[in-house]
Amino acid sequence: MKKLEVKVEFTVFDDVDELTQEDKELMFKAVETRKTAYAPYSKFRVGAALLLENNEIVLGSNQENASYPSGLCAERVAIYQAGAQYPSQKIKKIAISAASDQNITVTPIPPCGACRQAIAEYEVKQESEIEIFFMGETGKVVKSNSLKDLMPLLFDKSFLL
Ligand code: THU
Protein backbone atom coordinates (compact mmCIF):
# COMPACT_ATOMS: atom_id res chain seq x y z
CA MET A 1 0.00 0.00 0.00
CA LYS A 2 1.18 3.50 -0.68
CA LYS A 3 -0.35 6.92 -0.39
CA LEU A 4 -0.20 9.37 -3.26
CA GLU A 5 -0.38 13.10 -2.81
CA VAL A 6 -1.59 15.23 -5.69
CA LYS A 7 -0.55 18.86 -5.81
CA VAL A 8 -2.78 21.35 -7.58
CA GLU A 9 -2.16 25.04 -8.04
CA PHE A 10 -4.45 28.05 -8.36
CA THR A 11 -3.84 31.79 -8.49
CA VAL A 12 -6.33 33.97 -6.66
CA PHE A 13 -6.78 37.58 -7.80
CA ASP A 14 -8.51 40.04 -5.48
CA ASP A 15 -10.63 41.33 -8.35
CA VAL A 16 -10.78 41.51 -12.14
CA ASP A 17 -8.59 44.60 -12.20
CA GLU A 18 -5.61 42.45 -11.18
CA LEU A 19 -5.90 40.45 -14.40
CA THR A 20 -3.95 41.23 -17.56
CA GLN A 21 -5.84 43.33 -20.10
CA GLU A 22 -6.51 40.29 -22.29
CA ASP A 23 -7.80 38.22 -19.38
CA LYS A 24 -9.90 41.08 -18.06
CA GLU A 25 -11.53 41.61 -21.46
CA LEU A 26 -12.32 37.90 -21.69
CA MET A 27 -13.86 37.94 -18.21
CA PHE A 28 -15.97 40.99 -19.13
CA LYS A 29 -17.27 39.01 -22.13
CA ALA A 30 -18.25 36.19 -19.73
CA VAL A 31 -19.99 38.72 -17.48
CA GLU A 32 -21.88 40.22 -20.43
CA THR A 33 -22.83 36.78 -21.76
CA ARG A 34 -24.23 35.82 -18.36
CA LYS A 35 -27.09 38.16 -19.19
CA THR A 36 -28.13 35.94 -22.09
CA ALA A 37 -28.65 32.95 -19.78
CA TYR A 38 -32.04 31.32 -19.96
CA ALA A 39 -32.38 30.37 -16.31
CA PRO A 40 -36.03 30.71 -15.26
CA TYR A 41 -35.81 27.67 -12.95
CA SER A 42 -32.56 28.09 -11.02
CA LYS A 43 -32.33 31.87 -11.43
CA PHE A 44 -28.60 31.23 -11.54
CA ARG A 45 -26.92 32.77 -14.56
CA VAL A 46 -23.57 31.67 -15.89
CA GLY A 47 -21.55 33.14 -18.74
CA ALA A 48 -18.51 31.59 -20.38
CA ALA A 49 -16.10 33.13 -22.88
CA LEU A 50 -13.46 31.11 -24.74
CA LEU A 51 -10.39 32.60 -26.38
CA LEU A 52 -9.17 30.53 -29.32
CA GLU A 53 -5.72 30.39 -30.87
CA ASN A 54 -6.95 32.41 -33.86
CA ASN A 55 -8.12 35.10 -31.37
CA GLU A 56 -11.80 34.39 -31.99
CA ILE A 57 -13.95 34.56 -28.87
CA VAL A 58 -16.75 32.02 -28.47
CA LEU A 59 -19.50 32.64 -25.93
CA GLY A 60 -21.98 30.52 -24.03
CA SER A 61 -24.56 30.89 -21.29
CA ASN A 62 -26.60 28.30 -19.43
CA GLN A 63 -29.80 27.23 -21.16
CA GLU A 64 -32.40 25.57 -18.96
CA ASN A 65 -35.40 23.44 -19.79
CA ALA A 66 -38.70 22.56 -18.11
CA SER A 67 -37.36 19.02 -18.27
CA TYR A 68 -34.44 19.98 -16.01
CA PRO A 69 -31.74 17.52 -17.18
CA SER A 70 -32.22 18.68 -20.78
CA GLY A 71 -30.67 22.05 -19.94
CA LEU A 72 -26.98 22.74 -20.48
CA CYS A 73 -24.31 24.66 -18.57
CA ALA A 74 -22.68 27.77 -20.01
CA GLU A 75 -19.25 26.17 -20.28
CA ARG A 76 -20.51 23.27 -22.41
CA VAL A 77 -22.67 25.53 -24.58
CA ALA A 78 -19.49 27.53 -25.33
CA ILE A 79 -17.04 24.66 -25.72
CA TYR A 80 -19.30 22.62 -28.03
CA GLN A 81 -20.00 25.74 -30.05
CA ALA A 82 -16.23 26.25 -30.42
CA GLY A 83 -15.81 22.59 -31.41
CA ALA A 84 -18.54 22.91 -34.02
CA GLN A 85 -17.55 26.30 -35.43
CA TYR A 86 -13.75 26.08 -35.20
CA PRO A 87 -12.94 22.35 -35.04
CA SER A 88 -9.21 22.76 -35.63
CA GLN A 89 -8.59 25.79 -33.41
CA LYS A 90 -7.05 25.25 -29.99
CA ILE A 91 -8.75 26.82 -26.97
CA LYS A 92 -6.33 29.01 -25.04
CA LYS A 93 -8.47 30.26 -22.17
CA ILE A 94 -11.92 30.08 -20.65
CA ALA A 95 -13.41 32.79 -18.44
CA ILE A 96 -16.51 32.01 -16.37
CA SER A 97 -18.75 34.27 -14.32
CA ALA A 98 -21.82 33.15 -12.35
CA ALA A 99 -24.49 35.18 -10.56
CA SER A 100 -27.76 34.46 -8.83
CA ASP A 101 -30.85 36.61 -9.34
CA GLN A 102 -31.53 36.13 -5.65
CA ASN A 103 -28.34 37.36 -3.98
CA ILE A 104 -24.91 38.68 -4.84
CA THR A 105 -22.48 35.85 -5.54
CA VAL A 106 -19.03 36.88 -4.33
CA THR A 107 -17.58 33.36 -4.21
CA PRO A 108 -15.69 32.28 -7.34
CA ILE A 109 -17.85 29.57 -8.94
CA PRO A 110 -15.86 26.73 -10.52
CA PRO A 111 -17.22 24.69 -13.45
CA CYS A 112 -19.31 21.66 -12.45
CA GLY A 113 -17.99 18.13 -12.82
CA ALA A 114 -19.66 17.50 -16.17
CA CYS A 115 -18.19 20.72 -17.60
CA ARG A 116 -14.75 19.78 -16.25
CA GLN A 117 -15.05 16.48 -18.11
CA ALA A 118 -16.00 18.35 -21.30
CA ILE A 119 -13.08 20.77 -20.93
CA ALA A 120 -10.77 17.80 -20.23
CA GLU A 121 -11.78 16.22 -23.54
CA TYR A 122 -10.66 19.32 -25.44
CA GLU A 123 -7.39 19.67 -23.49
CA VAL A 124 -6.55 16.06 -24.37
CA LYS A 125 -7.69 16.50 -27.98
CA GLN A 126 -5.64 19.64 -28.60
CA GLU A 127 -2.62 18.45 -26.57
CA SER A 128 -2.24 21.79 -24.82
CA GLU A 129 -3.44 23.26 -21.58
CA ILE A 130 -6.44 25.53 -21.25
CA GLU A 131 -6.29 28.34 -18.70
CA ILE A 132 -9.49 28.59 -16.68
CA PHE A 133 -10.58 31.77 -14.88
CA PHE A 134 -13.69 31.77 -12.72
CA MET A 135 -15.50 34.25 -10.53
CA GLY A 136 -18.92 34.98 -9.06
CA GLU A 137 -20.78 38.17 -9.87
CA THR A 138 -18.08 40.27 -8.27
CA GLY A 139 -14.97 39.81 -6.12
CA LYS A 140 -12.11 37.37 -6.38
CA VAL A 141 -11.07 35.61 -9.57
CA VAL A 142 -9.44 32.18 -9.46
CA LYS A 143 -7.15 31.00 -12.23
CA SER A 144 -5.97 27.47 -12.94
CA ASN A 145 -3.35 26.89 -15.62
CA SER A 146 -4.94 23.64 -16.74
CA LEU A 147 -8.11 21.62 -16.28
CA LYS A 148 -5.89 19.01 -14.61
CA ASP A 149 -5.64 21.24 -11.54
CA LEU A 150 -9.43 21.14 -11.23
CA MET A 151 -9.69 17.41 -11.87
CA PRO A 152 -6.35 15.67 -11.34
CA LEU A 153 -7.49 12.07 -11.90
CA LEU A 154 -9.33 12.60 -15.11
CA PHE A 155 -10.89 10.02 -17.36
CA ASP A 156 -9.79 10.27 -20.96
CA LYS A 157 -9.52 8.28 -24.18
CA SER A 158 -6.34 6.53 -23.04
CA PHE A 159 -8.50 4.23 -20.87
CA LEU A 160 -10.57 3.14 -23.83
CA LEU A 161 -7.67 1.40 -25.58
N1 THU B 1 -24.43 25.92 -14.35
C1 THU B 1 -23.56 26.30 -15.32
O1 THU B 1 -23.93 26.93 -16.32
N2 THU B 1 -22.27 25.98 -15.16
C2 THU B 1 -21.76 25.27 -14.11
O2 THU B 1 -20.61 24.89 -14.12
C3 THU B 1 -22.62 25.00 -12.96
C4 THU B 1 -24.07 25.18 -13.18
C5 THU B 1 -25.85 26.22 -14.55
C6 THU B 1 -26.72 25.02 -14.82
C7 THU B 1 -28.06 25.48 -14.34
O3 THU B 1 -28.70 26.17 -15.41
C8 THU B 1 -27.75 26.48 -13.24
O4 THU B 1 -26.38 26.84 -13.40
C9 THU B 1 -27.96 25.94 -11.84
O5 THU B 1 -27.28 24.75 -11.65
Side-chain angles (χ1 to χ4, degrees):
M1 195 268 266
K2 66 173 177 182
K3 280 194 182 175
L4 295 178
E5 253 181 53
V6 179
K7 187 168 165 255
V8 294
E9 192 183 274
F10 300 99
T11 309
V12 181
F13 299 89
D14 283 335
D15 61 54
V16 277
D17 289 326
E18 279 192 359
L19 300 176
T20 65
Q21 192 59 28
E22 181 179 88
D23 297 344
K24 203 189 317 187
E25 281 172 20
L26 194 66
M27 185 55 87
F28 283 146
K29 294 269 185 199
V31 169
E32 274 302 300
T33 306
R34 218 174 57 204
K35 296 170 191 155
T36 70
Y38 175 59
Y41 305 107
S42 71
K43 311 214 182 308
F44 190 74
R45 299 171 189 282
V46 186
L50 271 56
L51 179 66
L52 308 184
E53 212 174 32
N54 64 358
N55 285 324
E56 287 288 339
I57 291 178
V58 178
L59 306 171
S61 59
N62 54 324
Q63 301 296 317
E64 297 186 350
N65 193 284
S67 171
Y68 292 2
S70 301
L72 199 61
C73 292
E75 296 88 330
R76 276 175 288 161
V77 169
I79 207 158
Y80 294 147
Q81 170 69 4
Q85 221 183 333
Y86 303 101
S88 55
Q89 287 296 323
K90 292 186 180 182
I91 300 163
K92 282 165 66 177
K93 304 174 180 186
I94 302 178
I96 305 158
S97 170
S100 166
D101 288 348
Q102 291 159 119
N103 51 45
I104 294 180
T105 313
V106 292
T107 315
I109 310 287
C112 77
C115 288
R116 292 180 202 198
Q117 185 65 36
I119 298 166
E121 184 70 26
Y122 285 77
E123 242 190 31
V124 171
K125 174 186 168 223
Q126 69 184 35
E127 297 177 333
S128 65
E129 295 182 325
I130 300 174
E131 292 180 0
I132 303 164
F133 298 80
F134 54 91
M135 66 178 293
E137 179 171 354
T138 178
K140 292 189 184 349
V141 181
V142 176
K143 175 189 177 191
S144 70
N145 289 326
S146 163
L147 187 276
K148 289 193 241 42
D149 282 318
L150 285 168
M151 199 162 69
L153 300 180
L154 60 85
F155 178 85
D156 66 23
K157 64 180 179 183
S158 65
F159 298 111
L160 299 176
L161 300 175

Short mmCIF file of all heavy atoms in Angstrom, two decimals, residues 38-39 42 44 46 62-64 72-75 109-112 115, ligand 1:
data_model
loop_
_atom_site.label_atom_id
_atom_site.label_comp_id
_atom_site.label_asym_id
_atom_site.label_seq_id
_atom_site.Cartn_x
_atom_site.Cartn_y
_atom_site.Cartn_z
N TYR A 38 -30.62 31.62 -20.09
CA TYR A 38 -32.04 31.32 -19.96
C TYR A 38 -32.16 30.45 -18.72
O TYR A 38 -31.89 29.24 -18.76
CB TYR A 38 -32.53 30.60 -21.22
CG TYR A 38 -33.97 30.14 -21.11
CD1 TYR A 38 -35.00 31.06 -20.88
CD2 TYR A 38 -34.30 28.80 -21.22
CE1 TYR A 38 -36.31 30.65 -20.76
CE2 TYR A 38 -35.61 28.38 -21.11
CZ TYR A 38 -36.62 29.31 -20.87
OH TYR A 38 -37.91 28.90 -20.75
N ALA A 39 -32.45 31.08 -17.59
CA ALA A 39 -32.38 30.37 -16.31
C ALA A 39 -33.62 30.65 -15.45
O ALA A 39 -33.50 31.10 -14.31
CB ALA A 39 -31.11 30.77 -15.58
N SER A 42 -33.55 27.92 -12.10
CA SER A 42 -32.56 28.09 -11.02
C SER A 42 -32.35 29.57 -10.67
O SER A 42 -31.86 29.88 -9.59
CB SER A 42 -31.22 27.49 -11.44
OG SER A 42 -30.62 28.29 -12.45
N PHE A 44 -30.05 31.19 -11.70
CA PHE A 44 -28.60 31.23 -11.54
C PHE A 44 -28.01 31.35 -12.93
O PHE A 44 -28.20 30.47 -13.77
CB PHE A 44 -28.14 29.93 -10.85
CG PHE A 44 -26.72 29.94 -10.41
CD1 PHE A 44 -26.32 30.67 -9.30
CD2 PHE A 44 -25.76 29.18 -11.08
CE1 PHE A 44 -24.99 30.66 -8.88
CE2 PHE A 44 -24.44 29.16 -10.67
CZ PHE A 44 -24.06 29.90 -9.56
N VAL A 46 -25.00 31.91 -15.69
CA VAL A 46 -23.57 31.67 -15.89
C VAL A 46 -23.20 32.09 -17.31
O VAL A 46 -23.95 31.82 -18.26
CB VAL A 46 -23.22 30.17 -15.66
CG1 VAL A 46 -21.71 29.96 -15.73
CG2 VAL A 46 -23.77 29.67 -14.33
N ASN A 62 -25.80 29.50 -19.74
CA ASN A 62 -26.60 28.30 -19.43
C ASN A 62 -28.00 28.43 -20.00
O ASN A 62 -28.61 29.49 -19.99
CB ASN A 62 -26.60 28.00 -17.92
CG ASN A 62 -27.04 29.15 -17.04
OD1 ASN A 62 -26.74 30.30 -17.33
ND2 ASN A 62 -27.75 28.85 -15.98
N GLN A 63 -28.49 27.31 -20.50
CA GLN A 63 -29.80 27.23 -21.16
C GLN A 63 -30.60 26.14 -20.47
O GLN A 63 -30.26 24.96 -20.56
CB GLN A 63 -29.62 26.92 -22.65
CG GLN A 63 -28.77 27.95 -23.40
CD GLN A 63 -29.41 29.34 -23.45
OE1 GLN A 63 -30.62 29.46 -23.69
NE2 GLN A 63 -28.63 30.38 -23.23
N GLU A 64 -31.63 26.54 -19.75
CA GLU A 64 -32.40 25.57 -18.96
C GLU A 64 -33.62 25.07 -19.72
O GLU A 64 -33.96 25.57 -20.80
CB GLU A 64 -32.79 26.22 -17.62
CG GLU A 64 -31.55 26.56 -16.80
CD GLU A 64 -31.83 27.06 -15.41
OE1 GLU A 64 -32.99 27.35 -15.08
OE2 GLU A 64 -30.86 27.17 -14.64
N LEU A 72 -28.44 22.88 -20.35
CA LEU A 72 -26.98 22.74 -20.48
C LEU A 72 -26.27 23.92 -19.84
O LEU A 72 -26.72 25.06 -19.93
CB LEU A 72 -26.59 22.62 -21.96
CG LEU A 72 -25.21 22.02 -22.24
CD1 LEU A 72 -25.09 20.59 -21.71
CD2 LEU A 72 -24.90 22.04 -23.72
N CYS A 73 -25.13 23.63 -19.22
CA CYS A 73 -24.31 24.66 -18.57
C CYS A 73 -23.65 25.57 -19.61
O CYS A 73 -23.39 25.16 -20.76
CB CYS A 73 -23.19 24.01 -17.77
SG CYS A 73 -23.71 23.09 -16.33
N ALA A 74 -23.32 26.76 -19.15
CA ALA A 74 -22.68 27.77 -20.01
C ALA A 74 -21.37 27.26 -20.63
O ALA A 74 -21.11 27.49 -21.81
CB ALA A 74 -22.39 29.01 -19.17
N GLU A 75 -20.58 26.59 -19.81
CA GLU A 75 -19.25 26.17 -20.28
C GLU A 75 -19.38 25.19 -21.45
O GLU A 75 -18.63 25.24 -22.42
CB GLU A 75 -18.47 25.50 -19.15
CG GLU A 75 -18.14 26.40 -17.99
CD GLU A 75 -19.23 26.45 -16.92
OE1 GLU A 75 -20.42 26.29 -17.25
OE2 GLU A 75 -18.87 26.67 -15.75
N ILE A 109 -17.08 30.79 -8.68
CA ILE A 109 -17.85 29.57 -8.94
C ILE A 109 -17.10 28.72 -9.98
O ILE A 109 -17.03 29.10 -11.16
CB ILE A 109 -19.26 29.90 -9.49
CG1 ILE A 109 -19.97 30.94 -8.62
CG2 ILE A 109 -20.09 28.63 -9.66
CD1 ILE A 109 -20.48 30.46 -7.29
N PRO A 110 -16.58 27.58 -9.56
CA PRO A 110 -15.86 26.73 -10.52
C PRO A 110 -16.82 25.96 -11.42
O PRO A 110 -18.00 25.78 -11.07
CB PRO A 110 -15.09 25.77 -9.61
CG PRO A 110 -15.92 25.67 -8.37
CD PRO A 110 -16.65 26.99 -8.22
N PRO A 111 -16.35 25.49 -12.57
CA PRO A 111 -17.22 24.69 -13.45
C PRO A 111 -17.62 23.38 -12.77
O PRO A 111 -16.83 22.81 -12.02
CB PRO A 111 -16.35 24.44 -14.68
CG PRO A 111 -14.95 24.75 -14.29
CD PRO A 111 -15.00 25.69 -13.14
N CYS A 112 -18.82 22.92 -13.06
CA CYS A 112 -19.31 21.66 -12.45
C CYS A 112 -18.52 20.48 -13.01
O CYS A 112 -17.76 20.61 -13.98
CB CYS A 112 -20.81 21.50 -12.73
SG CYS A 112 -21.17 20.95 -14.41
N CYS A 115 -18.89 19.74 -16.75
CA CYS A 115 -18.19 20.72 -17.60
C CYS A 115 -16.68 20.49 -17.52
O CYS A 115 -15.96 20.66 -18.52
CB CYS A 115 -18.54 22.14 -17.18
SG CYS A 115 -20.23 22.58 -17.64
N1 THU B 1 -24.43 25.92 -14.35
C1 THU B 1 -23.56 26.30 -15.32
O1 THU B 1 -23.93 26.93 -16.32
N2 THU B 1 -22.27 25.98 -15.16
C2 THU B 1 -21.76 25.27 -14.11
O2 THU B 1 -20.61 24.89 -14.12
C3 THU B 1 -22.62 25.00 -12.96
C4 THU B 1 -24.07 25.18 -13.18
C5 THU B 1 -25.85 26.22 -14.55
C6 THU B 1 -26.72 25.02 -14.82
C7 THU B 1 -28.06 25.48 -14.34
O3 THU B 1 -28.70 26.17 -15.41
C8 THU B 1 -27.75 26.48 -13.24
O4 THU B 1 -26.38 26.84 -13.40
C9 THU B 1 -27.96 25.94 -11.84
O5 THU B 1 -27.28 24.75 -11.65
#
